[in-house]
Amino acid sequence: MKKESAKKKITAPTGILCLLVVVCIFGYLGYVMGLPNMLNTIMKTAHDLLLNTVFYLMSICVITGALGKIFMEFGVVNLLERLLRPLMKPVFNLPGVTSLGAVMTFLSDNPAIISLAHDKRFASYFKKFQFISLTNFGTAFGMGLLVMVFMVGQGFYASPVIGLLGACCGCVCSTRLMQRFVLKSYPQYATENAVDAEDLEEEEKEVQVNSQKTVFIRVLDALLDGGRSGVEVGIAIIPGVLIISTFVMIFTFGANADGVYDGSAYQGVELLPWLANKIDFIFEWLFGFQDPHLVAFPITALGAVGAALSLVPNFVSHGWVDGNAIAVFTAIGMCWSGFLSTHTAMLDSLGYRDLTPKAIIAHTCGGIVAAICAHWMYFLYTLFISLN
């Protein structure tokens, strides 16, 4: 009886608090947008994310999963491990095979690293604390090629390259910080392998069986097995993308062009940009932004870098951006690349959901470091150009 009464005392206040938070959030949204518009916007945004974002990410997972399996099957991963170990170990405290994840996420998007991580032979190179930090490492290069090509298309050439270097600095910060967080909470992960010996033995036996097949069959099996694992990852990320992204969008964007709420997808209350504008002097000091509107880019990049990129042409037409802003946009856009939308789902698919808050904190710091480094590297670049 005493235990039951104690539980009631504990759960009652938390239940009331939870109810108050939910009522405050949706009450605020409903008051600003109107209740029918709020509900329509939430449902339409989630539906559009499912069709145009989740399935897009799933297709990336399928392709990269198949490509990663091919690299595993024919020894490319072992080659990368030997060649890049001297670089990856001291800089990122990760094995050399991790560079494959950087390339694949740079060419596609964040979840590509998870397609690789689900391969036991790839995961066998890692200790658990390193394996968990893959979410931070891979995310820092997500959609990198798309971001750089887009910025070049806006007429900037040196700035995107400087932004890439800034993203690398942010990646080091995020990955190392995440490893530190993991080891502080779970010291035993420093020595535990990411893959059990029994699972690895089964994988090796399967490899030996496959090695006796013809090259054509090996390629076909690798493509289909890797693609199948990509489908599983794509399904696993659905809840995180729909739930997190929808609320990030609704707190970032505003009404339609006429300033009216009509229940369309991707409308919102612009709370995050409003809060950011209150401290825009900090962004000017850290990132060199000359206009407070530019704060919208990093805020939006938290949820979706594609949506953040769509802001740039408007910034350019208004004359708000310069080379420094493009370098910072590239760095922070690439490093964050909508990680609030994918980090939860990625860690959940790896089986370490409880470490999601630590991963988010570490990657938030990494993105800020990336932007600051890009700002100062661009400053040094312009100083060098002026001296010559």
Side-chain angles (χ1 to χ4, degrees):
M1 293 294 293
K2 289 182 179 180
K3 289 184 179 179
E4 290 181 1
S5 61
K7 285 183 179 178
K8 288 180 180 179
K9 288 180 181 179
I10 293 173
T11 56
T14 56
I16 294 173
L17 179 61
C18 176
L19 188 61
L20 286 174
V21 170
V22 171
V23 169
C24 288
I25 291 175
F26 286 97
Y28 168 67
L29 294 175
Y31 174 77
V32 176
M33 303 175 65
L35 184 60
N37 293 329
M38 177 196 72
L39 294 175
N40 282 328
T41 294
I42 291 175
M43 297 306 167
K44 289 180 181 179
T45 301
H47 181 252
D48 190 76
L49 285 170
L50 177 64
L51 296 180
N52 296 318
T53 301
V54 172
F55 288 150
Y56 167 72
L57 294 176
M58 183 183 288
S59 66
I60 290 173
C61 290
V62 170
I63 298 299
T64 54
L67 186 60
K69 197 75 172 180
I70 287 286
F71 288 162
M72 298 288 178
E73 185 69 27
F74 293 98
V76 175
V77 169
N78 291 333
L79 178 63
L80 286 173
E81 162 66 13
R82 294 176 183 177
L83 291 177
L84 298 174
R85 185 188 303 166
L87 173 64
M88 297 299 296
K89 183 66 177 177
V91 177
F92 297 100
N93 195 23
L94 292 170
V97 293
T98 320
S99 58
L100 178 62
V103 172
M104 296 183 76
T105 53
F106 180 82
L107 297 175
S108 53
D109 205 350
N110 308 346
I113 194 75
I114 305 302
S115 299
L116 284 177
H118 278 273
D119 191 291
K120 291 183 175 61
R121 281 178 289 168
F122 178 85
S124 65
Y125 289 94
F126 298 83
K127 299 297 182 183
K128 275 190 178 179
F129 80 97
Q130 296 173 321
F131 186 70
I132 296 169
S133 70
L134 278 176
T135 54
N136 292 61
F137 176 84
T139 302
F141 297 101
M143 297 185 73
L145 182 63
L146 174 63
V147 173
M148 293 192 68
V149 170
F150 183 88
M151 295 305 184
V152 170
Q154 300 300 310
F156 298 89
Y157 302 100
S159 296
V161 177
I162 295 173
L164 174 61
L165 297 176
C168 291
C169 296
C171 181
V172 174
C173 172
S174 176
T175 304
R176 289 279 192 167
L177 195 56
M178 182 58 182
Q179 291 173 359
R180 185 183 180 89
F181 287 159
V182 173
L183 289 177
K184 187 175 181 179
S185 299
Y186 303 96
Q188 67 274 21
Y189 284 2
T191 55
E192 291 183 14
N193 294 321
V195 179
D196 294 333
E198 294 179 0
D199 293 338
L200 187 58
E201 285 179 8
E202 292 179 4
E203 189 77 14
E204 293 297 337
K205 289 179 182 178
E206 186 179 341
V207 171
Q208 291 178 1
V209 173
N210 289 339
S211 64
Q212 299 174 1
K213 299 178 181 179
T214 63
V215 173
F216 175 76
I217 296 299
R218 289 173 65 189
V219 170
L220 188 62
D221 286 347
L223 290 174
L224 295 178
D225 291 343
R228 189 179 301 110
S229 68
V231 172
E232 294 172 356
V233 173
I235 292 174
I237 68 175
I238 290 176
V241 171
L242 296 193
I243 296 169
I244 304 298
S245 273
T246 297
F247 280 96
V248 169
M249 300 288 185
I250 207 169
F251 282 110
T252 299
F253 298 122
N256 62 19
D258 297 325
V260 177
Y261 291 104
D262 56 11
S264 299
Y266 301 109
Q267 293 185 353
V269 295
E270 293 186 290
L271 178 63
L272 293 179
W274 180 80
L275 292 174
N277 283 334
K278 298 299 180 182
I279 53 171
D280 65 296
F281 63 92
I282 296 178
F283 293 95
E284 181 179 354
W285 180 67
L286 291 177
F287 306 153
F289 287 169
Q290 300 300 316
D291 190 282
H293 290 89
L294 301 182
V295 175
F297 186 96
I299 296 292
T300 308
L302 287 167
V305 69
L309 291 176
S310 66
L311 302 173
V312 176
N314 190 36
F315 291 166
V316 173
S317 65
H318 283 83
W320 294 337
V321 299
D322 53 10
N324 174 78
I326 294 297
V328 173
F329 285 174
T330 304
I332 205 166
M334 189 184 303
C335 193
W336 277 354
S337 55
F339 79 97
L340 284 184
S341 309
T342 56
H343 251 44
T344 304
M346 290 165 72
L347 279 164
D348 188 25
S349 67
L350 288 179
Y352 299 98
R353 183 190 300 177
D354 59 312
L355 292 169
T356 301
K358 298 182 186 299
I360 289 176
I361 292 171
H363 211 67
T364 300
C365 295
I368 294 172
V369 168
I372 293 173
C373 289
H375 166 52
W376 287 106
M377 281 191 284
Y378 185 83
F379 173 78
L380 294 175
Y381 167 75
T382 53
L383 182 63
F384 176 79
I385 294 296
S386 63
L387 293 176
N388 290 280

